[in-house]
Amino acid sequence: MTIRIDDSLMYRDRLDGLHGLDPALRDTMEERFQVIRADIAGRRKSGEYGFESLGRQDAVVASIEQWAALQRGRFDHLLILGIGGSALGAKAMLTALKGSAWNEWDAGRRDNWPTLTVLENVDPVTVLGTLDRLDPRRTLVNVISKSGGTAETLAQYLIVREWLDRSVATDAKDHLVITTDPERGALRALAGSEGITTFAVPPEVGGRFSVLTAVGLVPAAILGIDIAELLAGAAEAVDAALADQLADNAAARWAMLQWQAHATRAANVHVLMPYSDRLRDFAEWYRQLWAESLGKRLDRDGTEVFRGPTPVGAVGATDQHSQVQLFIEGPFDKTITFIRICDTVDMLTIPGRDGLGPDMSYLVGKTLGGLLDVQFVATREALRSQGRMSSTIEIDTLDARTLGHLFMFFQLATGYAGAWYGVNPFDQPGVELGKVLTFEAMGKDGF
Ligand code: PA5
């Protein structure tokens, strides 16, 4: 299995005997799970769970790979314009699979794949700074908007388009690729009228569930990431999440435990804490997925419930010197999910030098990866001893396949969590309201 999950530390009998979930849940939730499964099976038929088919997209992979191969060496930079679900996945992939120093490497070390910059805000200082830094003649711009109508992204496009036109004039369309709805929206119309290359976002997949569509696959392919492997990992996660027993279905079980912790132990804060810098942006991606999917005013019956957990991202060991004090001694309102990567444990031996006293010599000959792992084990044990619930997702190595599996695992868990919480995880009326009010304030007709 690509990922392994240990959720034993969610239960009272493994904590301090006072806090945590009732161990009897291990049995009693099986029955309830069958109701959840039946509910989801019905919704699947009506197309709500469209993201589950993203593990198998051979034709899409072939067309993206073919196109990406033609771009290789033509550009030094990939600039993404997008926001929310149209931005966070690409950032998470770059950091996870290329490392946070990628943009500082020269082209040779990057094997001629471009740098990546994601403009995910309309802060003019950031936009000006980015355009000042990049050479438009060597930049490919990927405009990403599922709806094709998001004000932030369209405003960025107009500014960036003028920047391109000034330097590359009639060639501007060769510096653009648009990812949007197959038929609707302003970007689709624009691409059609100007003959700009486009990739389609399947209408049945929501924005925050779209990292494994062209939204994430186009940037991934341009950066030299093996997108077939990403999807193979995702397909594994889907297969595992079809298991009809809760005990065998890790995604449904993890979601159930978060919901139970919230419903019965008032743990409304759900922390994702990878012990890896490479998963820092992944935690940010999870935050949007969990928050926007589960934070809802209405339940499935239309009753006002104001429901939803608050997701938090943290990174070990860095946050041991920041948020972890709160996690260990603050209110009993949290669950922590750790992600541990096994193959870095032996990396980077700590060298000795003459004259070291016992305060430093204990480090010599150990590895930095080993220190990181010891920090994880110690923090988990400190939490456990204080009655704090946690789960651990363990992976052997962080590569395209495991990352694809992780993306899909959390999407599946979110789909299940919607059912456990009794809310629609696929809509976002609050976000839409903000969009409408922005249009109104900006004087857009038709709202
Ligand atoms: O999950 C969602 O639907 C949102 O976060 C969207 O991704 C975000 O609002 C951007 O929308 P769009 O891709 O249509 O520009």
Side-chain angles (χ1 to χ4, degrees):
M1 197 39 148
T2 307
I3 72 174
R4 298 173 291 277
I5 304 189
D6 177 358
D7 51 36
S8 58
L9 299 184
M10 292 295 290
Y11 294 101
R12 196 181 310 147
D13 55 351
R14 293 292 309 278
L15 300 179
D16 59 355
L18 284 175
H19 299 96
L21 297 175
D22 181 351
L25 283 178
R26 291 186 181 104
D27 303 320
T28 54
M29 290 315 289
E30 277 295 349
E31 206 176 312
R32 179 90 184 258
F33 178 52
Q34 299 314 318
V35 179
I36 294 292
R37 278 189 68 231
D39 177 49
I40 290 181
R43 297 186 186 284
R44 219 173 247 141
K45 282 202 195 97
S46 63
E48 276 191 27
Y49 282 70
F51 74 90
E52 290 180 346
S53 63
L54 295 175
R56 292 178 178 87
Q57 309 178 71
D58 292 351
V60 172
V61 169
S63 82
I64 292 177
E65 278 181 341
Q66 198 181 22
W67 172 81
L70 297 174
Q71 313 311 315
R72 191 162 180 194
R74 286 187 62 212
F75 302 104
D76 297 326
H77 310 288
L78 172 63
L79 174 61
I80 288 180
L81 312 181
I83 196 163
S86 290
L88 291 161
K91 273 174 63 186
M93 282 196 272
L94 178 87
T95 319
L97 300 178
K98 299 292 184 180
S100 48
W102 176 255
N103 284 355
E104 286 148 41
W105 291 357
D106 62 26
R109 191 149 178 216
R110 291 194 319 268
D111 216 8
N112 285 323
W113 301 112
T115 67
L116 174 69
T117 303
V118 180
L119 280 181
E120 54 181 335
N121 201 352
V122 284
D123 184 330
V125 177
T126 312
V127 174
L128 282 171
T130 300
L131 299 187
D132 196 37
R133 179 170 55 81
L134 300 179
D135 176 356
R137 293 164 305 172
R138 301 290 303 164
T139 301
L140 174 66
V141 180
N142 187 189
V143 191
I144 309 178
S145 173
K146 177 180 152 65
S147 61
T150 302
E152 292 91 327
T153 307
L154 294 183
Q156 286 171 343
Y157 166 74
L158 292 170
I159 288 167
V160 169
R161 181 62 195 259
E162 190 193 55
W163 172 78
L164 279 178
D165 285 344
R166 272 204 308 270
S167 303
V168 298
T170 51
D171 292 338
K173 80 180 177 60
D174 298 334
H175 288 249
L176 282 162
V177 54
I178 290 179
T179 309
T180 192
D181 185 90
E183 286 173 8
R184 296 178 306 119
L187 283 180
R188 173 58 60 182
L190 179 108
S193 65
E194 293 208 37
I196 296 169
T197 301
T198 55
F199 288 95
V201 190
E204 67 278 12
V205 179
R208 56 194 171 277
F209 291 83
S210 69
V211 58
L212 298 171
T213 70
V215 167
L217 297 180
V218 167
I222 287 283
L223 292 167
I225 291 168
D226 188 337
I227 60 175
E229 276 292 289
L230 269 173
L231 296 185
E236 282 174 9
V238 173
D239 291 345
L242 292 176
D244 55 9
Q245 295 297 306
L246 193 55
D248 304 324
N249 192 324
R253 204 174 58 246
W254 182 83
M256 180 277 286
L257 292 171
Q258 306 310 307
W259 164 69
Q260 273 289 346
H262 188 167
T264 65
R265 309 301 302 179
N268 63 314
V269 179
H270 297 169
V271 181
L272 183 66
M273 185 168 181
Y275 268 69
S276 166
D277 286 340
R278 288 177 294 162
L279 290 174
R280 183 183 294 272
D281 290 328
F282 184 86
E284 209 186 319
W285 170 86
Y286 147 80
R287 219 175 46 172
Q288 188 228 7
L289 179 69
W290 203 243
E292 204 168 300
S293 302
L294 302 176
K296 298 288 154 75
R297 181 170 70 90
L298 303 178
D299 69 7
R300 282 285 195 181
D301 300 327
T303 307
E304 241 175 23
V305 288
F306 302 105
R307 220 164 257 169
T310 300
V312 167
V315 173
T318 310
D319 269 289
Q320 287 177 209
H321 302 268
S322 168
Q323 303 187 81
V324 165
Q325 168 62 30
L326 173 72
F327 300 166
I328 294 181
E329 291 198 339
F332 287 84
D333 61 354
K334 298 176 194 66
T335 66
I336 322 280
T337 300
F338 296 109
I339 305 182
R340 176 192 213 177
I341 304 176
C342 297
D343 71 352
T344 53
V345 170
D346 295 330
M347 274 173 75
L348 198 50
T349 303
I350 302 167
R353 52 189 295 122
D354 289 345
L356 291 183
D359 287 345
M360 290 178 85
S361 61
Y362 75 98
L363 294 168
V364 175
K366 315 276 177 31
T367 62
L368 215 52
L371 175 60
L372 183 67
D373 200 52
V374 164
Q375 304 262 17
F376 153 69
V377 173
T379 300
R380 184 172 63 173
E381 173 54 19
L383 284 159
R384 190 204 66 73
S385 69
Q386 301 304 305
R388 312 297 167 141
M389 292 175 278
S390 73
S391 314
T392 301
I393 298 177
E394 200 171 83
I395 60 179
D396 290 329
T397 191
L398 183 58
D399 55 17
R401 181 176 283 249
T402 44
L403 184 66
H405 194 121
L406 283 173
F407 275 131
M408 188 54 96
F409 171 83
F410 280 98
Q411 291 182 171
L412 290 158
T414 304
Y416 277 115
W420 290 114
Y421 272 94
V423 299
N424 180 356
F426 304 115
D427 66 359
Q428 53 284 320
V431 177
E432 306 302 342
L433 177 63
K435 287 186 180 184
V436 169
L437 294 177
T438 302
F439 288 144
E440 263 177 24
M442 295 292 283
K444 184 177 188 293
D445 290 339
F447 284 91

